Amino acid sequence: IPDDRAINSDNQEDSSFIDKLIEKQLLFQGFLTVLFGVCIGGILNFIALLAKEAEIANAGFFFLVCTLCIFLSRLVTGRIFDKKGPAWVIFPGTILFLLGFIVLAQSKTMTTFLIASALYGFGYGTIFPAIQTWMFNLVPAAKRSAASATFYNMIDVGNGIGSITLGMLAGKLGYASIYWCSAIIMTI
């Protein structure tokens, strides 16, 4: 197995700090990833508070169902991505993600809460690896670490923005409002 680390390290020394964090040819995909991250921030930080506001006990079941659906979605969507390309996976995943937020914003029972979890989980499990793989496929092998950095940095930036802005929104309009906002973001 050839070791190309020495070749790649020469190119990386010439790169600026920003170039190591963000791959410039992936700005569109990075923007989509930020939007995705904003919506994830709303789930990670406020789902238990939404459940409390809606008087739904055992909010942890949301993540149990979500995790199961993420796992199941990845069994199928990788093959679809490989055969047909990113649009065939990202658009349906976005619709599932969007529907998950719409159902979640209206959840008043454990049943609707778990339906929202399943939709969110299938959407997340579809979108997350599809955007990441799409980004990797758009750059040469030597720039995959920068593509990975771009993906994860944009997820984190989105999560941070989502936590702060959606938290302020929840303080004024209630927790259901942040999931309506997340649904709007997913339409972009």
Side-chain angles (χ1 to χ4, degrees):
I1 299 174
D3 186 3
D4 62 352
R5 286 181 288 179
I7 297 168
N8 292 338
S9 65
D10 292 338
N11 294 340
Q12 289 178 356
E13 287 176 16
D14 296 337
S15 301
S16 71
F17 179 71
I18 296 295
D19 290 339
K20 292 177 184 176
L21 296 177
I22 299 171
E23 178 57 43
K24 289 181 182 150
Q25 72 186 72
L26 300 175
L27 291 178
F28 174 71
Q29 292 80 8
F31 174 72
L32 294 178
T33 306
V34 168
L35 296 178
F36 182 54
V38 167
C39 297
I40 292 169
I43 294 289
L44 294 177
N45 294 294
F46 303 112
I47 195 68
L49 297 170
L50 171 73
K52 184 176 180 181
E53 182 179 83
E55 299 179 2
I56 298 171
N58 300 319
F61 284 119
F62 181 91
F63 291 107
L64 179 67
V65 170
C66 178
T67 301
L68 177 65
C69 293
I70 289 170
F71 173 76
L72 292 173
S73 70
R74 290 184 180 181
L75 296 175
V76 176
T77 57
R79 290 186 197 121
I80 296 170
F81 184 98
D82 291 341
K83 288 181 182 176
K84 297 192 173 199
W88 288 87
V89 176
I90 293 172
F91 288 130
T94 301
I95 291 168
L96 291 169
F97 209 55
L98 167 70
L99 291 173
F101 288 118
I102 291 170
V103 173
L104 190 57
Q106 301 176 70
S107 290
K108 301 291 182 208
T109 67
M110 180 60 88
T111 303
T112 56
F113 192 67
L114 295 180
I115 290 169
S117 173
L119 291 166
Y120 172 84
F122 281 121
Y124 180 99
T126 301
I127 297 170
F128 191 94
I131 291 178
Q132 187 177 32
T133 303
W134 183 27
M135 292 171 94
F136 287 173
N137 289 346
L138 291 174
V139 297
K143 293 197 168 212
R144 288 204 178 130
S145 61
S148 181
T150 300
F151 178 77
Y152 284 108
N153 287 332
M154 296 303 103
I155 283 282
D156 290 343
V157 166
N159 194 333
I161 291 169
S163 298
I164 294 167
T165 57
L166 295 174
M168 290 189 302
L169 182 65
K172 295 183 187 297
L173 301 174
Y175 292 101
S177 67
I178 66 175
Y179 301 109
W180 285 114
C181 183
S182 293
I184 291 167
I185 290 169
M186 289 313 297
T187 61
I188 295 172

PDB file of all heavy atoms in Angstrom, residues 118-136:
ATOM      1  N   ALA A 118     -39.768   8.853  14.342  1.00  0.00           N
ATOM      2  CA  ALA A 118     -39.471   7.956  13.219  1.00  0.00           C
ATOM      3  C   ALA A 118     -39.195   8.756  11.944  1.00  0.00           C
ATOM      4  O   ALA A 118     -38.220   8.482  11.233  1.00  0.00           O
ATOM      5  CB  ALA A 118     -40.623   6.979  13.008  1.00  0.00           C
ATOM      6  N   LEU A 119     -40.020   9.750  11.664  1.00  0.00           N
ATOM      7  CA  LEU A 119     -39.813  10.571  10.466  1.00  0.00           C
ATOM      8  C   LEU A 119     -38.484  11.315  10.548  1.00  0.00           C
ATOM      9  O   LEU A 119     -37.718  11.348   9.584  1.00  0.00           O
ATOM     10  CB  LEU A 119     -40.980  11.551  10.293  1.00  0.00           C
ATOM     11  CG  LEU A 119     -42.314  10.936   9.919  1.00  0.00           C
ATOM     12  CD1 LEU A 119     -43.446  11.943  10.109  1.00  0.00           C
ATOM     13  CD2 LEU A 119     -42.283  10.414   8.495  1.00  0.00           C
ATOM     14  N   TYR A 120     -38.227  11.902  11.700  1.00  0.00           N
ATOM     15  CA  TYR A 120     -36.961  12.610  11.917  1.00  0.00           C
ATOM     16  C   TYR A 120     -35.784  11.647  11.752  1.00  0.00           C
ATOM     17  O   TYR A 120     -34.802  11.955  11.082  1.00  0.00           O
ATOM     18  CB  TYR A 120     -36.948  13.252  13.312  1.00  0.00           C
ATOM     19  CG  TYR A 120     -35.625  13.843  13.702  1.00  0.00           C
ATOM     20  CD1 TYR A 120     -35.279  15.128  13.305  1.00  0.00           C
ATOM     21  CD2 TYR A 120     -34.715  13.122  14.466  1.00  0.00           C
ATOM     22  CE1 TYR A 120     -34.051  15.680  13.664  1.00  0.00           C
ATOM     23  CE2 TYR A 120     -33.493  13.662  14.826  1.00  0.00           C
ATOM     24  CZ  TYR A 120     -33.163  14.939  14.426  1.00  0.00           C
ATOM     25  OH  TYR A 120     -31.951  15.471  14.771  1.00  0.00           O
ATOM     26  N   GLY A 121     -35.883  10.462  12.362  1.00  0.00           N
ATOM     27  CA  GLY A 121     -34.801   9.482  12.294  1.00  0.00           C
ATOM     28  C   GLY A 121     -34.520   9.011  10.880  1.00  0.00           C
ATOM     29  O   GLY A 121     -33.366   8.926  10.460  1.00  0.00           O
ATOM     30  N   PHE A 122     -35.587   8.707  10.119  1.00  0.00           N
ATOM     31  CA  PHE A 122     -35.381   8.300   8.726  1.00  0.00           C
ATOM     32  C   PHE A 122     -34.785   9.448   7.911  1.00  0.00           C
ATOM     33  O   PHE A 122     -33.908   9.224   7.070  1.00  0.00           O
ATOM     34  CB  PHE A 122     -36.693   7.810   8.095  1.00  0.00           C
ATOM     35  CG  PHE A 122     -37.062   6.403   8.481  1.00  0.00           C
ATOM     36  CD1 PHE A 122     -38.263   6.147   9.130  1.00  0.00           C
ATOM     37  CD2 PHE A 122     -36.228   5.335   8.199  1.00  0.00           C
ATOM     38  CE1 PHE A 122     -38.616   4.846   9.489  1.00  0.00           C
ATOM     39  CE2 PHE A 122     -36.567   4.036   8.551  1.00  0.00           C
ATOM     40  CZ  PHE A 122     -37.763   3.797   9.205  1.00  0.00           C
ATOM     41  N   GLY A 123     -35.245  10.667   8.161  1.00  0.00           N
ATOM     42  CA  GLY A 123     -34.685  11.819   7.452  1.00  0.00           C
ATOM     43  C   GLY A 123     -33.230  12.058   7.801  1.00  0.00           C
ATOM     44  O   GLY A 123     -32.378  12.224   6.925  1.00  0.00           O
ATOM     45  N   TYR A 124     -32.936  12.049   9.084  1.00  0.00           N
ATOM     46  CA  TYR A 124     -31.562  12.254   9.554  1.00  0.00           C
ATOM     47  C   TYR A 124     -30.644  11.161   9.018  1.00  0.00           C
ATOM     48  O   TYR A 124     -29.556  11.446   8.515  1.00  0.00           O
ATOM     49  CB  TYR A 124     -31.560  12.252  11.087  1.00  0.00           C
ATOM     50  CG  TYR A 124     -30.204  12.464  11.714  1.00  0.00           C
ATOM     51  CD1 TYR A 124     -29.834  13.716  12.179  1.00  0.00           C
ATOM     52  CD2 TYR A 124     -29.296  11.419  11.872  1.00  0.00           C
ATOM     53  CE1 TYR A 124     -28.596  13.922  12.772  1.00  0.00           C
ATOM     54  CE2 TYR A 124     -28.061  11.618  12.462  1.00  0.00           C
ATOM     55  CZ  TYR A 124     -27.717  12.864  12.908  1.00  0.00           C
ATOM     56  OH  TYR A 124     -26.494  13.063  13.483  1.00  0.00           O
ATOM     57  N   GLY A 125     -31.070   9.919   9.137  1.00  0.00           N
ATOM     58  CA  GLY A 125     -30.261   8.793   8.679  1.00  0.00           C
ATOM     59  C   GLY A 125     -30.029   8.783   7.187  1.00  0.00           C
ATOM     60  O   GLY A 125     -29.097   8.149   6.690  1.00  0.00           O
ATOM     61  N   THR A 126     -30.868   9.492   6.466  1.00  0.00           N
ATOM     62  CA  THR A 126     -30.728   9.613   5.018  1.00  0.00           C
ATOM     63  C   THR A 126     -29.848  10.801   4.647  1.00  0.00           C
ATOM     64  O   THR A 126     -28.924  10.684   3.846  1.00  0.00           O
ATOM     65  CB  THR A 126     -32.121   9.754   4.374  1.00  0.00           C
ATOM     66  OG1 THR A 126     -32.892   8.603   4.704  1.00  0.00           O
ATOM     67  CG2 THR A 126     -32.040   9.892   2.874  1.00  0.00           C
ATOM     68  N   ILE A 127     -30.119  11.948   5.247  1.00  0.00           N
ATOM     69  CA  ILE A 127     -29.423  13.183   4.874  1.00  0.00           C
ATOM     70  C   ILE A 127     -27.964  13.196   5.338  1.00  0.00           C
ATOM     71  O   ILE A 127     -27.061  13.555   4.570  1.00  0.00           O
ATOM     72  CB  ILE A 127     -30.151  14.417   5.447  1.00  0.00           C
ATOM     73  CG1 ILE A 127     -31.548  14.541   4.858  1.00  0.00           C
ATOM     74  CG2 ILE A 127     -29.363  15.686   5.181  1.00  0.00           C
ATOM     75  CD1 ILE A 127     -32.409  15.582   5.560  1.00  0.00           C
ATOM     76  N   PHE A 128     -27.716  12.842   6.595  1.00  0.00           N
ATOM     77  CA  PHE A 128     -26.381  12.963   7.181  1.00  0.00           C
ATOM     78  C   PHE A 128     -25.311  12.256   6.345  1.00  0.00           C
ATOM     79  O   PHE A 128     -24.353  12.897   5.896  1.00  0.00           O
ATOM     80  CB  PHE A 128     -26.411  12.435   8.627  1.00  0.00           C
ATOM     81  CG  PHE A 128     -25.188  12.741   9.436  1.00  0.00           C
ATOM     82  CD1 PHE A 128     -25.140  13.864  10.236  1.00  0.00           C
ATOM     83  CD2 PHE A 128     -24.086  11.895   9.417  1.00  0.00           C
ATOM     84  CE1 PHE A 128     -24.014  14.145  11.003  1.00  0.00           C
ATOM     85  CE2 PHE A 128     -22.959  12.164  10.179  1.00  0.00           C
ATOM     86  CZ  PHE A 128     -22.919  13.292  10.967  1.00  0.00           C
ATOM     87  N   PRO A 129     -25.441  10.952   6.088  1.00  0.00           N
ATOM     88  CA  PRO A 129     -24.377  10.299   5.307  1.00  0.00           C
ATOM     89  C   PRO A 129     -24.388  10.713   3.841  1.00  0.00           C
ATOM     90  O   PRO A 129     -23.343  10.697   3.180  1.00  0.00           O
ATOM     91  CB  PRO A 129     -24.666   8.807   5.461  1.00  0.00           C
ATOM     92  CG  PRO A 129     -26.098   8.718   5.813  1.00  0.00           C
ATOM     93  CD  PRO A 129     -26.427   9.979   6.555  1.00  0.00           C
ATOM     94  N   ALA A 130     -25.553  11.107   3.310  1.00  0.00           N
ATOM     95  CA  ALA A 130     -25.619  11.488   1.899  1.00  0.00           C
ATOM     96  C   ALA A 130     -24.859  12.782   1.640  1.00  0.00           C
ATOM     97  O   ALA A 130     -24.091  12.873   0.671  1.00  0.00           O
ATOM     98  CB  ALA A 130     -27.077  11.625   1.460  1.00  0.00           C
ATOM     99  N   ILE A 131     -25.048  13.774   2.497  1.00  0.00           N
ATOM    100  CA  ILE A 131     -24.322  15.039   2.299  1.00  0.00           C
ATOM    101  C   ILE A 131     -22.823  14.813   2.495  1.00  0.00           C
ATOM    102  O   ILE A 131     -22.001  15.310   1.724  1.00  0.00           O
ATOM    103  CB  ILE A 131     -24.846  16.146   3.234  1.00  0.00           C
ATOM    104  CG1 ILE A 131     -26.260  16.563   2.828  1.00  0.00           C
ATOM    105  CG2 ILE A 131     -23.919  17.359   3.207  1.00  0.00           C
ATOM    106  CD1 ILE A 131     -26.881  17.616   3.722  1.00  0.00           C
ATOM    107  N   GLN A 132     -22.484  14.034   3.503  1.00  0.00           N
ATOM    108  CA  GLN A 132     -21.059  13.771   3.756  1.00  0.00           C
ATOM    109  C   GLN A 132     -20.413  13.047   2.568  1.00  0.00           C
ATOM    110  O   GLN A 132     -19.338  13.435   2.098  1.00  0.00           O
ATOM    111  CB  GLN A 132     -20.910  12.951   5.034  1.00  0.00           C
ATOM    112  CG  GLN A 132     -19.480  12.773   5.454  1.00  0.00           C
ATOM    113  CD  GLN A 132     -19.357  12.025   6.765  1.00  0.00           C
ATOM    114  OE1 GLN A 132     -20.171  11.173   7.082  1.00  0.00           O
ATOM    115  NE2 GLN A 132     -18.332  12.343   7.519  1.00  0.00           N
ATOM    116  N   THR A 133     -21.058  12.021   2.054  1.00  0.00           N
ATOM    117  CA  THR A 133     -20.516  11.278   0.920  1.00  0.00           C
ATOM    118  C   THR A 133     -20.472  12.149  -0.331  1.00  0.00           C
ATOM    119  O   THR A 133     -19.512  12.094  -1.104  1.00  0.00           O
ATOM    120  CB  THR A 133     -21.362  10.011   0.657  1.00  0.00           C
ATOM    121  OG1 THR A 133     -21.388   9.241   1.854  1.00  0.00           O
ATOM    122  CG2 THR A 133     -20.793   9.184  -0.477  1.00  0.00           C
ATOM    123  N   TRP A 134     -21.497  12.951  -0.539  1.00  0.00           N
ATOM    124  CA  TRP A 134     -21.537  13.881  -1.673  1.00  0.00           C
ATOM    125  C   TRP A 134     -20.323  14.803  -1.618  1.00  0.00           C
ATOM    126  O   TRP A 134     -19.645  15.021  -2.631  1.00  0.00           O
ATOM    127  CB  TRP A 134     -22.846  14.656  -1.618  1.00  0.00           C
ATOM    128  CG  TRP A 134     -23.123  15.609  -2.734  1.00  0.00           C
ATOM    129  CD1 TRP A 134     -22.667  15.555  -4.015  1.00  0.00           C
ATOM    130  CD2 TRP A 134     -23.964  16.758  -2.656  1.00  0.00           C
ATOM    131  NE1 TRP A 134     -23.172  16.603  -4.742  1.00  0.00           N
ATOM    132  CE2 TRP A 134     -23.981  17.354  -3.922  1.00  0.00           C
ATOM    133  CE3 TRP A 134     -24.719  17.327  -1.645  1.00  0.00           C
ATOM    134  CZ2 TRP A 134     -24.722  18.501  -4.207  1.00  0.00           C
ATOM    135  CZ3 TRP A 134     -25.453  18.459  -1.919  1.00  0.00           C
ATOM    136  CH2 TRP A 134     -25.449  19.042  -3.187  1.00  0.00           C
ATOM    137  N   MET A 135     -20.034  15.328  -0.438  1.00  0.00           N
ATOM    138  CA  MET A 135     -18.881  16.216  -0.291  1.00  0.00           C
ATOM    139  C   MET A 135     -17.576  15.474  -0.598  1.00  0.00           C
ATOM    140  O   MET A 135     -16.710  16.008  -1.295  1.00  0.00           O
ATOM    141  CB  MET A 135     -18.859  16.818   1.113  1.00  0.00           C
ATOM    142  CG  MET A 135     -20.000  17.782   1.368  1.00  0.00           C
ATOM    143  SD  MET A 135     -20.140  18.283   3.079  1.00  0.00           S
ATOM    144  CE  MET A 135     -19.203  19.796   3.056  1.00  0.00           C
ATOM    145  N   PHE A 136     -17.442  14.268  -0.100  1.00  0.00           N
ATOM    146  CA  PHE A 136     -16.240  13.483  -0.364  1.00  0.00           C
ATOM    147  C   PHE A 136     -16.078  13.203  -1.853  1.00  0.00           C
ATOM    148  O   PHE A 136     -14.965  13.190  -2.373  1.00  0.00           O
ATOM    149  CB  PHE A 136     -16.260  12.159   0.387  1.00  0.00           C
ATOM    150  CG  PHE A 136     -16.021  12.269   1.863  1.00  0.00           C
ATOM    151  CD1 PHE A 136     -16.169  11.159   2.658  1.00  0.00           C
ATOM    152  CD2 PHE A 136     -15.652  13.460   2.463  1.00  0.00           C
ATOM    153  CE1 PHE A 136     -15.945  11.237   4.029  1.00  0.00           C
ATOM    154  CE2 PHE A 136     -15.434  13.548   3.824  1.00  0.00           C
ATOM    155  CZ  PHE A 136     -15.577  12.428   4.609  1.00  0.00           C
TER     156      PHE A 136
END
